[in-house]
Amino acid sequence: MAPQTRGMSFPKVLIERESDTEESSSEEEEVEEDEDEGENDVGEESNEEHVEEKDEPSTSTKSRRKPITISLKKVCKVCKKPGHEAGFRGATYIDCPMKPCFLCKMPGHTTMSCPHRVATEFGVAPAPCKTVRSTLQYVFERQIRCQISAIRPAFVIPNKVDCAVIRYHSRRITCLEFHPTRNNILLSGDKKGQLGVWDYEKAYEKTVYGNIHDCILNNMKFNPLNDGTVYGASSDGTASCTDLETGISSTLVNLNPNGWQGPNSWRMLYGLDMNYEKGILLAADNFGLLYMVDARSNNVIGKPVLIHKKGSKVTGLNCHPLQPDLLLSCGNDHFARIWDMRRLEAGSSIYDLPHKRVVNSAYFSPHSGSKILTTSQDNRLRVWDSIFGNLDTPSREIVHSHDFNRHLTPFRAEWDPKDVSESLVVVGRYISENYNGVALHPIDFIDVKTGQLVAEVMDPNITTISPVNKLHPRDDVLASGSSRSIFIWKPMDDSELKPQRDESRILQCGNGGKGRKGKFEDDDDDDFDNDPYGSKSSKTKKRHLKSKRKC
DNA sequence: ATGCAATGAGCCC
DNA sequence: TGGGCTCCCTTGCA
């Protein structure tokens, strides 16, 4: 039997549409026409449904000449057509059949019947047969890759929440970074520009610095010369260097020295990486430009270089782990590009890797740097197996649900830095599955060698999507950011999975707001008061938000 | 329980 | 090229 779906009562739906002010007049007419057509030519499906006519309440009919026809027929909220309805039935989402599959984007079937839904290896496009190999690639294959395969260990999956901070940040989490030397320190950035520093082994030792950036902290990177400081790139147009002990920050780059001059000129920094060999911090903005900063003097080097389409966002930067002259970038122009740092100028990329949509992230594999992994908004992970080989087409395309949603931090598939075989990848999943009556969004572990889903981890209490995930560089630990909360996952045997989690390791933070979903909320906070909105009136909050609108 | 708003990318003209 | 409109599984708050 179908569980109750919220908002299903007919009159409410209809009244809601009636009360849509400006749009309603034209839309209603359209709906009316559609329905009339539907009545005439599709009577077969909706024959039990009734079309009723109802006069508008007298108060609002003055401006309308004729009575408004209101259908009580069920209408799909996606395509506005009768005969079916998209949306949740309990914890199961029913697709609109008129739209392409929400997962693989192909027409003709829905997500429920999509072959990629069950087994991700269906999405693997076989690598093209490469008949030509460079000498370098041959040596690599013979001397390195074969060893890697031989010593490849079983994957260790952090599958149980060990500790968490609920409502740690006052806005959604946008990036996570483990401290390079202090094992239990996790840094987190949020949409408001705040920086969290948390020792998750001493769960209560956490700080949030709120005065570093004015809006979205898009990326963070450590300086290996001084791991007491961290770099940040923000949508406020600045790149920062922050002391983790004091929270004191210096601005390395400010792209908006004259302040807010309108949305067309406001510059934001997204991509960020550190070239350790050259001692250069790299940052890129929403106009396609790359900036370089000398990490010793903190001075900007040279002029910015156009590395992606003029006026388009550069979403990510990644330096090669072994070859300091190689840089990987990706952006909203649907490309990931490989660059030679010695010859950085507009149009001089070594290779352009085309995608069908925006590329959220592009990373070299963490050890050899011979592979490239990209996450694109076309719901595909792409892997190029060898940067020495044919880069014309990706070796694999893995269909995976990580759609764009303006209210979610963009998904980024990340390599497991501990996996010497360079095949394990973690990425959050957008679409939910019905797990015992609860819609959950798992975090997926994928073997990109085969395209197979190795593991999907979830917790019945985490009902929000987890787009931000980071695997620890040394420990078997996963940190995930879901909405405003952070979760630390560790591996557990099946037997250990059965007992209830130790709730004492779940910290409650924030202003205690009650979400529509989520079960961590209770009333016994607050050990944590970094949220300046907590004590403000909603009017004050709205005013404050308006002032940040540019971000 | 439900309405609403925040606000990014794509597409059309 | 840029403005305006639309939008499919969000989330938190009023």
Side-chain angles (χ1 to χ4, degrees):
Chain A
M1 73 177 189
Q4 282 281 335
T5 305
R6 60 172 188 258
M8 286 284 285
S9 68
F10 293 0
K12 281 183 182 168
V13 171
L14 291 165
I15 288 164
E16 186 186 319
R17 289 191 56 75
E18 264 316 290
S19 63
D20 282 352
T21 50
E22 306 94 308
E23 307 162 17
S24 59
S25 55
S26 59
E27 244 182 68
E28 276 159 8
E29 281 164 20
E30 274 178 31
V31 168
E32 193 182 341
E33 280 173 23
D34 283 351
E35 281 156 2
D36 288 341
E37 282 171 27
E39 280 299 293
N40 295 336
D41 56 26
V42 205
E44 77 281 358
E45 197 166 306
S46 50
N47 47 5
E48 305 97 348
E49 305 285 355
H50 303 289
V51 176
E52 294 185 5
E53 291 196 352
K54 215 187 212 178
D55 285 345
E56 268 272 270
S58 58
T59 50
S60 57
T61 46
K62 285 182 182 172
S63 59
R64 298 163 196 258
R65 291 188 170 182
K66 57 178 183 180
I68 302 301
T69 305
I70 307 170
S71 167
L72 292 186
K73 215 186 293 179
K74 293 179 183 179
V75 169
C76 173
K77 67 176 181 182
V78 176
C79 70
K80 312 288 189 289
K81 294 264 168 31
H84 63 274
E85 275 186 290
F88 275 105
R89 304 269 190 287
T92 304
Y93 191 90
I94 308 297
D95 264 6
C96 170
M98 308 302 283
K99 293 277 183 176
C101 171
F102 190 59
L103 174 54
C104 74
K105 308 300 178 193
M106 302 302 282
H109 66 273
T110 64
T111 314
M112 290 295 278
S113 56
C114 178
H116 305 290
R117 188 179 180 99
V118 183
T120 55
E121 69 267 26
F122 276 105
V124 176
C129 182
K130 297 191 187 91
T131 51
V132 180
R133 288 184 177 197
S134 67
T135 310
L136 189 59
Q137 188 187 9
Y138 179 78
V139 171
F140 178 82
E141 297 283 345
R142 281 291 301 269
Q143 296 188 353
I144 303 174
R145 170 112 9 118
C146 64
Q147 290 174 27
I148 286 172
S149 300
I151 60 171
R152 179 178 152 185
F155 298 126
V156 180
I157 305 294
N159 54 4
K160 182 175 181 284
V161 174
D162 179 70
C163 57
V165 194
I166 309 304
R167 283 182 250 113
Y168 187 167
H169 284 263
S170 56
R171 289 289 181 275
R172 67 166 201 251
I173 286 159
T174 51
C175 55
L176 292 171
E177 199 72 23
F178 283 101
H179 194 282
T181 54
R182 296 170 62 193
N183 271 5
N184 310 325
I185 305 293
L186 177 69
L187 272 61
S188 48
D190 72 18
K191 195 168 162 288
K192 213 172 150 192
Q194 300 194 329
L195 169 66
V197 183
W198 179 35
D199 183 339
Y200 54 83
E201 289 301 331
K202 301 172 196 159
Y204 285 86
E205 290 199 10
K206 55 190 167 45
T207 314
V208 174
Y209 296 120
N211 55 357
I212 303 167
H213 291 288
D214 293 331
C215 55
I216 315 175
L217 182 51
N218 290 305
N219 273 297
M220 288 183 290
K221 201 74 194 177
F222 270 92
N223 180 355
L225 299 176
N226 176 7
D227 62 17
T229 62
V230 67
Y231 294 117
S234 165
S235 288
D236 65 9
T238 67
S240 61
C241 181
T242 303
D243 186 298
L244 295 179
E245 290 296 325
T246 63
I248 295 171
S249 173
S250 56
T251 301
L252 309 181
V253 179
N254 182 6
L255 302 184
N256 304 297
N258 301 320
W260 178 251
Q261 306 282 322
N264 295 335
S265 61
W266 187 258
R267 291 180 181 265
M268 310 185 232
L269 282 173
Y270 283 85
L272 183 77
D273 202 6
M274 174 89 196
N275 189 318
Y276 304 130
E277 296 280 335
K278 296 178 188 287
I280 294 174
L281 181 74
L282 302 150
D285 72 2
N286 58 327
F287 282 75
L289 295 171
L290 172 74
Y291 303 81
M292 287 184 274
V293 179
D294 184 318
R296 285 189 173 78
S297 66
N298 286 351
N299 291 327
V300 175
I301 305 168
K303 288 190 174 175
V305 182
L306 187 72
I307 58 170
H308 281 268
K309 186 180 171 186
K310 189 182 173 186
S312 76
K313 187 193 293 179
V314 182
T315 51
L317 293 174
N318 185 229
C319 295
H320 194 277
L322 301 180
Q323 174 48 258
D325 290 324
L326 286 181
L327 172 69
L328 181 61
S329 67
C330 57
N332 276 23
D333 62 355
H334 301 188
F335 279 98
R337 301 184 201 274
I338 306 172
W339 301 87
D340 186 335
M341 292 281 291
R342 295 164 298 186
R343 194 169 149 258
L344 261 181
E345 53 192 55
S348 69
S349 53
I350 301 173
Y351 231 97
D352 295 340
L353 309 174
H355 294 69
K356 290 200 172 64
R357 296 280 171 183
V358 167
V359 190
N360 289 344
S361 66
Y363 297 111
F364 287 116
S365 53
H367 295 278
S368 71
S370 66
K371 301 183 190 181
I372 286 174
L373 165 71
T374 66
T375 308
S376 171
Q377 291 182 5
D378 65 356
N379 264 2
R380 265 101 180 138
L381 305 174
R382 288 180 175 79
V383 183
W384 283 262
D385 272 341
S386 173
I387 59 169
F388 309 112
N390 174 17
L391 292 173
D392 289 345
T393 54
S395 310
R396 266 171 296 285
E397 287 184 7
I398 301 165
V399 174
H400 178 266
S401 174
H402 49 254
D403 272 48
F404 168 78
N405 179 317
R406 66 185 144 162
H407 305 114
L408 297 174
T409 303
F411 290 82
R412 293 188 273 207
E414 306 232 357
W415 297 100
D416 180 0
K418 300 176 295 296
D419 171 28
V420 291
S421 72
E422 300 184 318
S423 41
L424 189 62
V425 153
V426 66
V427 59
R429 194 193 302 176
Y430 189 139
I431 54 171
S432 61
E433 292 284 349
N434 183 343
Y435 294 96
N436 298 320
V438 187
L440 299 178
H441 307 263
I443 298 163
D444 290 330
F445 288 80
I446 295 171
D447 181 346
V448 294
K449 267 202 175 118
T450 61
Q452 281 184 313
L453 186 64
V454 174
E456 45 181 14
V457 304
M458 80 288 286
D459 183 297
N461 290 299
I462 308 175
T463 53
T464 47
I465 295 170
S466 305
V468 189
N469 298 286
K470 203 86 178 181
L471 286 159
H472 196 284
R474 293 169 298 278
D475 297 339
D476 292 322
V477 169
L478 166 71
S480 60
S482 193
S483 185
R484 297 152 54 188
S485 306
I486 296 183
F487 299 87
I488 297 292
W489 303 72
K490 292 185 178 176
M492 298 286 169
D493 293 342
D494 285 348
S495 57
E496 291 177 89
L497 280 172
K498 281 168 190 157
Q500 285 295 305
R501 178 183 46 252
D502 175 5
E503 297 290 341
S504 68
R505 303 217 60 201
I506 308 295
L507 301 187
Q508 304 278 340
C509 292
N511 58 11
K514 300 279 187 288
R516 196 188 298 274
K517 299 191 285 186
K519 296 165 190 145
F520 280 118
E521 285 88 349
D522 63 19
D523 291 321
D524 64 344
D525 44 314
D526 227 335
D527 63 301
F528 178 71
D529 58 0
N530 75 310
D531 182 0
Y533 292 150
S535 56
K536 287 183 181 173
S537 71
S538 61
K539 276 186 180 173
T540 317
K541 188 192 293 185
K542 276 175 185 165
R543 222 178 299 134
H544 188 82
L545 283 171
K546 260 192 168 172
S547 71
K548 299 285 183 196
R549 193 176 43 204
K550 60 179 181 281
C551 295

